[in-house]
Amino acid sequence: MPELLCGDDPEPSDRSPAGPLFVPVRPGPAGCAARFFRTPLGERTAVGFTSARGLAATLGPDQAWIRLAEPALRALAAPLGVTTVTVDPQLSAPAPAPVAPFAPRGRAVADRPHRLTA
């Protein structure tokens, strides 16, 4: 069995993309602010895409973006406690549909008098 030499790791733990990322932003009081998302387990994450096409396919064609290198995105996110950067996420949940406010009709069951039977 051949030995793995340093740098020959088939699954490197640090997968940094080459070049700047397309980072989704939203307008803020001082200009643009990076958008942060949640992983399926609920952890906050910064997100970057390796192409504008990938960003538009995932977040829609109207999503604003800026170009940042991954180290710059990490430095931007770190003071906010965000330590994870997700590159080219494949799946995203759709935005929730607006829900009409619930207006009960009549009295609720809990408001009705209860009769105890022996």
Side-chain angles (χ1 to χ4, degrees):
M1 174 180 271
E3 289 182 3
L4 290 177
L5 302 175
C6 184
D8 289 345
D9 186 358
E11 293 293 329
S13 58
D14 185 19
R15 296 180 182 229
S16 296
L21 297 170
F22 294 83
V23 178
V25 295
R26 60 178 171 71
C32 291
R35 288 184 62 191
F36 295 102
F37 297 85
R38 296 216 177 256
T39 66
L41 297 176
E43 179 183 358
R44 289 178 69 200
T45 183
V47 173
F49 294 84
T50 55
S51 72
R53 182 182 295 165
L55 182 141
T58 303
L59 299 175
D62 296 329
Q63 174 61 58
W65 52 266
I66 60 171
R67 296 280 301 225
L68 286 176
E70 183 179 358
L73 180 56
R74 287 185 185 282
L76 182 74
L80 302 171
V82 179
T83 59
T84 303
V85 173
T86 303
V87 177
D88 289 330
Q90 298 297 311
L91 301 174
S92 64
V99 177
F102 176 72
R105 296 179 186 243
R107 293 173 56 181
V109 174
D111 293 339
R112 293 186 185 145
H114 298 288
R115 291 188 187 180
L116 297 175
T117 58

